[in-house]
Amino acid sequence: MAENLLADLMGSLLIVAPAAFGIVFAYWLYKKLCKISLFRQSREDDEALLRRMEMADAGEAEADSYQKLRQIYRDIQAGAKAFLAAEYRMCLAFLAVFGVAMIFFVAKVESGWDFKIGTLTAFSFFVGGITSMVSGYIGMMIAVFTNARCTMCATQTPDSLAWKESFNSAFRGGAVMGFALAGLGILVMYFLMCMYVSAFDVAVEAVKLFECIAGFGLGGSAIAMFGRVGGGIYTKAADVGADLAGKVVSGIPEDDPRNPATIADNVGDNVGDVAGMGSDLFGSFAEATCAALVVAAQSGSLIAQGGWAGLMFPVAISGGGILVCLVCSFIATHIQPVKKEVDIEKVLKVQLGATTILLTAVVYILAYIFLPSKFQIQAVSGTVINFTPTKAWGCTIAGLWSGCMIGFITEYYTSHSYKPVREVAQACETGAATNIIYGLALGYKSAILPVTLLSVVVYLSFYLGDMYGVALAALGMLSNLSTCLAIDVYGPICDNAGGIAEMAEMPETVREKTDALDAAGNTTAAIGKGFAIGSACLVGLALFGAFVTRAGLNLASVSLVSPLIFASLIFGAMIPYWFSAMTMKSVGQAANEMVKEVARQFREIPGLLEGTPGHAPPDHARCIKISTDASLREMVPPAILVMTAPILTGMFFGVEAVVGLLAGGMASGVQLAISASNTGGAWDNAKKYVEKGGLYIDMPKRDEVTGEIMRDEFGSPILVSVRQRKGSECHKAAVVGDTVGDPLKDTSGPALNILMKLMAIISLVFADFFMSINNGQGYFNIPRRVF
C-alpha cells in the first residue's frame, strides 16, 4: 500500500510540476516582452531612424511613424477585445444552456437515471469550455501585445540585431501562448480528475470517472468550433474584402493606410489564427487524453498493477513534452539565434526537429516509470492483448514522428522555396485561371503522403495496442504542443508586424524585415495546420475507439456489410462538404459586404483613395463591425450541423449508425482539410514569390526607340526574361488565387479539424444515452442485418 501511494505521489509530481513550470516560463517570457518599449529609446535612435527615412524619400509625413504605430496597435487591441467579448458572451450562453441539457441527456443510462454522472459530466463540460476560452484569450492578447513590439525591434541597428530581436519577440510571443495553454490544460484537467476521485471508487468505477472527465474535452472542442468558425469568418471576410477592394479594384498595396478594412484584417489575423488555433489544439489535447483514459479504464489489469499512476501515463506524456519544449526554446533565442533572413526557416525547423528527437527518449523513460512491466488490454475484437511499456513507447513515437514528417511535407507543398509553389507561381503567366487549376491540383496531390503516413501510424499503433495504442499515437503527435503553438502563433504576429509597419509608413528597410519574417510565418502556419489536421485525425479515431469500447460493440456489430453502417458511412462522408459549403458561403457573403463598404468610403470620403493631404480618416470601426456581425451570425449554423448530426443519428438510428457516421466523416474530412489548407497556403506563397521578384517570364524584346518586337535571322521573336513584381499581370493573377484560397486555408480547412473531433467526442459523452434507447438501436429500432 505504501509503495503504491509513493508511486502515485511521484506520478502526480511528474505531471503537476512540468505544467506549473510551463506557466511560470510563459510568465517569464511575457516579462521579457514587456521590456520592449513602443517609444524611441534615445536621441541616437531617433536620428538613425530619421536618416533612414530621408534616404528612402519618406518625407516629413513619416516623422510621426512611432505615433502612428502606437495608434494602430491600440486600434487592433480594441478591435480584438471587442470581438472576443461579443463571441464569448454567446459562448457562455451556449455553455449554460447545453450544460443544463447535458445533465438530463447524460444521466439517462441503460439502468435508469444517474444524475451524479450527468451533473459531473456537465460540470466537466463547463470547465473545459471556460479553459478553452481562457486559452484563446491569452493567445489573442499576447499576439496583439507582441505585434507592434516586433515592428519596433525591426527598426534597430545594425541589421543583425534587428533580425535577432524581431524574430525573438515574435517567437517568444507565440511561446507564451504555447506554454500557458499546455500548462493550464494539464493542471485544470488533472485537478478536475483529483476532485472526481472522491466521488468514485477507481478500482471498480474508473470507466464512469473518465466518462465524466470526457465532458472536459467536449467543452474545449465546442468552444474551439465557435472560435475556429467564427474567427475564420471574421478574418477572411476582412482579408478578402480588403484585398478585393484594395489590391484588385483600386490598385493600392496590401495594408495601405488608405484602405478602411486594414485594421479589421489585422484584428482577424489574431482572431482566427491565434485564438482559434489555440482553442483547436487545446481541444485536441483534452480529447486525446480523455480517449486514452476511457480506453485505459477498461483494463482491470492496468488498474490493479499500475494504480493511479498507470492510468495517468497519457497525461504524463504531455507533461514531459512541456519540459522538452522549454529546454529547446533556448535554441532559437540564445544558442542559434537568427542573424539574417536565411536563418529564419532553419531555426524554426530545428525547433521542431530537436523537440521530436528529445521526446523520443523522454517518452521511453516515462513509459517505464508510469506503466507496469506487463498488463492486459481489452481489444475491440473481444480478445485480450498483452501490453508493455515498450509497446506504449512505440505507439507514442509513431504519432510523434509522423507529426514531424507531416509538418515538413506540408512545408514542401506550401513554401515558395520548393518546386510545387514555384510551379503555381509560373502558372500565373497565362492568367488567374491556370493559377487556380495548378493550385487545386497541388492541394489534392499534397494529401497523398500525409494520409499515407496517418494510415501507417493507425495500423502500427492499432496492431501494437488496439484503440489504446491509437490514443497514445494521438498524444504523441501532440506531445510537443508548446513548440508547435509557438511556431504557429509566430506567423500571425509577424503578419501583423508587417501590416503595422506599412500602415505606420515605416522605412522600407523595416518592411523588408517584417515581410521576410511574415513569409517564414506563412510556411510555419502551414506546418501548424498540417500538424493540427494530422492530430485531429488521430484524436478523432481515438475517440471513435473509445466510443466503440464504451458502447460495447465488437467487430461483427461494426461490419461494413451492415446496410445501416454502410449507409451511415456515406452520409457521414458528405458532412464535411456540407460544412465547408456553409463556411465558404459565409465568408463570401461577409466579404461582399466589406467590399461594398470600402468602395463606399473611397467614393464618399474626399481624397481618401488619392491620398490627398488632410483628408478625413477611413472609418475602421464600420469595417470591424461588419466582420464581427458576420462572424457571430454565421458561426452558429455550422456548429449546429456538427453537434446535432451524431446526437440525432444515435437517438433515431442507434449506435451502429453513429459508428458509420463517424468513420465517413473522418475519412473524407481529413482529405478535404489537407487539400483545402495546402491549396490556400500554396496560392498565398505563390503571390509572395511573385512580390519578392522570384518569378521571371520570357517576353519579346522590343526596340528601345520604335517599340517594335525584335526578331532573329529566322524571323522568330527574341525573348528576354523579365522579372515580375507587384502590379504586373502575373501579380494580379496571383492575388486572385490568394484571395480564392483565403477561406480554404483559414476557415473551412482548419475548422474541419474540429468537425472530426467534435462529432466523435459528442458520441462518446452521449454513448450511455444512446444505449438506453432500445438497447442502442435508436427510436426507429432498425433490425440488424447484413448484406
Side-chain angles (χ1 to χ4, degrees):
M1 180 67 72
E3 290 181 1
N4 289 339
L5 181 60
L6 182 62
D8 291 346
L9 288 173
M10 180 61 69
S12 296
L13 181 64
L14 290 175
I15 292 170
V16 173
F21 282 145
I23 293 175
V24 171
F25 185 64
Y27 180 73
W28 180 77
L29 291 173
Y30 168 71
K31 297 303 290 184
K32 295 278 286 185
L33 291 170
C34 288
K35 294 179 181 179
I36 303 172
S37 175
L38 295 183
F39 292 84
R40 287 169 281 192
Q41 299 299 307
S42 67
R43 185 176 180 83
E44 289 76 14
D45 288 339
D46 281 0
E47 293 173 352
L49 179 67
L50 288 172
R51 282 196 301 272
R52 290 198 298 276
M53 286 180 173
E54 290 167 3
M55 292 174 63
D57 295 325
E60 294 180 3
E62 294 185 350
D64 61 344
S65 289
Y66 280 107
Q67 184 178 347
K68 291 180 181 177
L69 177 145
R70 291 189 292 272
Q71 183 59 50
I72 293 165
Y73 162 73
R74 287 191 290 267
D75 289 344
I76 294 173
Q77 191 175 53
K81 287 182 177 179
F83 172 76
L84 275 191
E87 182 182 49
Y88 283 176
R89 280 195 295 270
M90 290 186 65
C91 290
L92 283 172
F94 164 76
L95 289 176
V97 173
F98 195 76
V100 172
M102 278 183 64
I103 294 175
F104 297 95
F105 279 109
V106 178
K108 191 173 188 302
V109 295
E110 291 182 78
S111 57
W113 294 88
D114 189 338
F115 282 101
K116 181 175 79 170
I117 297 290
T119 304
L120 292 179
T121 303
F123 181 72
S124 296
F125 167 77
F126 188 79
V127 172
I130 294 296
T131 308
S132 182
M133 291 165 64
V134 171
S135 299
Y137 182 81
I138 290 173
M140 178 81 136
M141 289 299 101
I142 195 62
V144 172
F145 182 79
T146 308
N147 54 23
R149 287 164 173 80
C150 179
T151 307
M152 287 291 297
C153 290
T155 66
Q156 297 183 22
T157 53
D159 277 355
S160 60
L161 180 63
W163 284 115
K164 177 184 175 182
E165 293 303 322
S166 56
F167 172 86
N168 283 358
S169 63
F171 182 78
R172 283 171 176 152
V176 170
M177 181 182 184
F179 287 102
L181 183 147
L184 185 67
I186 291 175
L187 284 180
V188 173
M189 188 177 200
Y190 189 72
F191 284 128
L192 191 66
M193 287 189 286
C194 291
M195 287 172 53
Y196 282 15
V197 164
S198 60
F200 297 94
D201 181 359
V202 177
V204 294
E205 294 182 302
V207 174
K208 291 184 178 180
L209 165 63
F210 293 122
E211 282 180 354
C212 293
I213 294 296
F216 182 81
L218 175 56
S221 194
I223 296 302
M225 171 59 75
F226 289 115
R228 262 304 194 191
V229 175
I233 293 171
Y234 184 107
T235 181
K236 291 304 109 179
D239 193 5
V240 173
D243 284 353
L244 288 176
K247 290 188 290 187
V248 176
V249 177
S250 303
I252 60 177
E254 186 174 5
D255 294 319
D256 191 289
R258 292 171 290 175
N259 193 329
T262 50
I263 295 293
D265 185 10
N266 281 277
V267 171
D269 290 335
N270 300 289
V271 168
D273 294 338
V274 178
M277 174 64 87
S279 296
D280 181 359
L281 290 179
F282 168 79
S284 290
F285 152 75
E287 290 159 329
T289 306
C290 291
L293 292 172
V294 169
V295 176
Q298 311 283 337
S299 172
S301 172
L302 174 60
I303 297 172
Q305 298 178 54
W308 181 253
L311 287 171
M312 289 299 105
F313 172 64
V315 188
I317 293 173
S318 301
I322 290 178
L323 291 182
V324 169
C325 293
L326 191 154
V327 172
C328 289
S329 68
F330 289 100
I331 297 175
T333 56
H334 292 78
I335 299 172
Q336 193 183 37
V338 170
K339 295 182 181 178
K340 50 187 181 297
E341 180 178 349
V342 295
D343 291 341
I344 301 172
E345 286 194 23
K346 180 179 70 174
V347 168
L348 292 172
K349 291 177 190 175
V350 166
Q351 282 293 299
L352 193 58
T355 54
T356 302
I357 293 170
L358 282 180
L359 272 168
T360 302
V362 169
V363 170
Y364 186 84
I365 297 170
L366 290 173
Y368 275 90
I369 291 176
F370 280 83
L371 296 175
S373 58
K374 190 176 183 180
F375 60 97
Q376 287 72 47
I377 291 178
Q378 187 77 25
V380 177
S381 62
T383 61
V384 174
I385 61 173
N386 292 318
F387 203 62
T388 64
T390 303
K391 287 184 176 181
W393 172 75
C395 295
T396 307
I397 66 163
L400 172 65
W401 279 95
S402 65
C404 182
M405 286 187 281
I406 287 173
F408 288 132
I409 291 167
T410 304
E411 183 211 9
Y412 174 75
Y413 280 104
T414 56
S415 171
H416 60 56
S417 300
Y418 304 103
K419 183 180 177 181
V421 171
R422 293 188 177 188
E423 287 182 342
V424 174
Q426 194 69 47
C428 295
E429 179 180 357
T430 50
T434 46
N435 175 34
I436 290 174
I437 292 169
Y438 267 71
L440 289 172
L442 180 147
Y444 298 145
K445 188 176 180 180
S446 70
I448 297 172
L449 288 177
V451 171
T452 302
L453 270 174
L454 289 170
S455 301
V456 171
V457 171
V458 168
Y459 179 83
L460 179 63
S461 57
F462 191 91
Y463 177 79
L464 292 175
D466 206 75
M467 284 302 180
Y468 185 59
V470 175
L472 291 181
L475 281 167
M477 190 174 286
L478 291 163
S479 57
N480 53 356
L481 176 61
S482 300
T483 290
C484 289
L485 266 175
I487 291 174
D488 192 76
V489 175
Y490 158 90
I493 290 174
C494 293
D495 191 4
N496 263 203
I500 290 171
E502 182 158 323
M503 285 188 285
E505 299 175 279
M506 301 292 279
E508 189 63 29
T509 55
V510 175
R511 181 69 203 208
E512 287 173 1
K513 292 182 179 64
T514 55
D515 278 349
L517 293 169
D518 180 26
N522 279 334
T523 301
T524 60
I527 292 174
K529 289 183 178 73
F531 166 82
I533 293 167
S535 62
C537 177
L538 289 181
V539 170
L541 186 57
L543 291 167
F544 172 84
F547 170 74
V548 170
T549 302
R550 184 66 200 103
L553 300 172
N554 53 39
L555 288 179
S557 58
V558 294
S559 172
L560 277 180
V561 295
S562 163
L564 178 61
I565 291 181
F566 195 79
S568 302
L569 188 146
I570 294 174
F571 184 83
M574 174 273 301
I575 288 181
Y577 291 90
W578 187 358
F579 176 86
S580 297
M582 295 171 76
T583 53
M584 291 282 287
K585 185 177 180 182
S586 297
V587 171
Q589 290 174 334
N592 192 33
E593 291 182 49
M594 187 70 73
V595 170
K596 290 179 179 178
E597 173 59 25
V598 173
R600 182 194 67 78
Q601 293 194 35
F602 280 154
R603 185 175 61 253
E604 297 181 5
I605 300 178
L608 176 60
L609 180 58
E610 297 79 10
T612 306
H615 67 74
D619 186 0
H620 296 298
R622 175 60 187 160
C623 293
I624 291 174
K625 186 177 188 303
I626 289 174
S627 279
T628 301
D629 291 348
S631 62
L632 297 180
R633 180 181 66 246
E634 300 294 336
M635 72 180 184
V636 176
I640 291 175
L641 168 66
V642 174
M643 298 188 72
T644 57
I647 294 175
L648 294 178
T649 300
M651 286 175 60
F652 293 103
F653 298 97
V655 291
E656 293 181 10
V658 175
V659 168
L661 184 83
L662 297 181
M666 278 186 287
S668 71
V670 67
Q671 330 274 345
L672 189 58
I674 292 173
S675 62
S677 294
N678 290 350
T679 291
W683 277 328
D684 189 0
N685 277 331
K687 178 201 70 175
K688 283 184 165 51
Y689 183 65
V690 175
E691 290 177 343
K692 70 177 291 187
L695 178 63
Y696 290 83
I697 63 172
D698 292 334
M699 298 183 68
K701 185 177 181 180
R702 293 182 179 273
D703 187 278
E704 295 181 1
V705 178
T706 64
E708 293 181 355
I709 296 175
M710 301 178 66
R711 301 179 182 275
D712 58 20
E713 62 270 24
F714 302 105
S716 301
I718 299 174
L719 301 178
V720 292
S721 291
V722 179
R723 174 178 283 189
Q724 304 298 299
R725 289 190 180 275
K726 289 184 179 181
S728 66
E729 291 301 316
C730 287
H731 180 246
K732 292 177 182 177
V735 169
V736 172
D738 175 42
T739 307
V740 173
D742 275 337
L744 287 173
K745 71 180 175 68
D746 290 323
T747 307
S748 297
L752 286 169
N753 307 341
I754 302 167
L755 177 144
M756 292 185 278
K757 299 179 294 182
L758 186 54
M759 288 203 305
I761 189 70
I762 284 178
S763 302
L764 174 60
V765 170
F766 283 79
D768 283 342
F769 170 64
F770 297 155
M771 290 300 295
S772 69
I773 304 172
N774 289 328
N775 194 31
Q777 291 185 254
Y779 287 122
F780 291 166
N781 200 15
I782 297 176
R784 296 173 177 172
R785 295 196 184 105
V786 295
F787 286 119

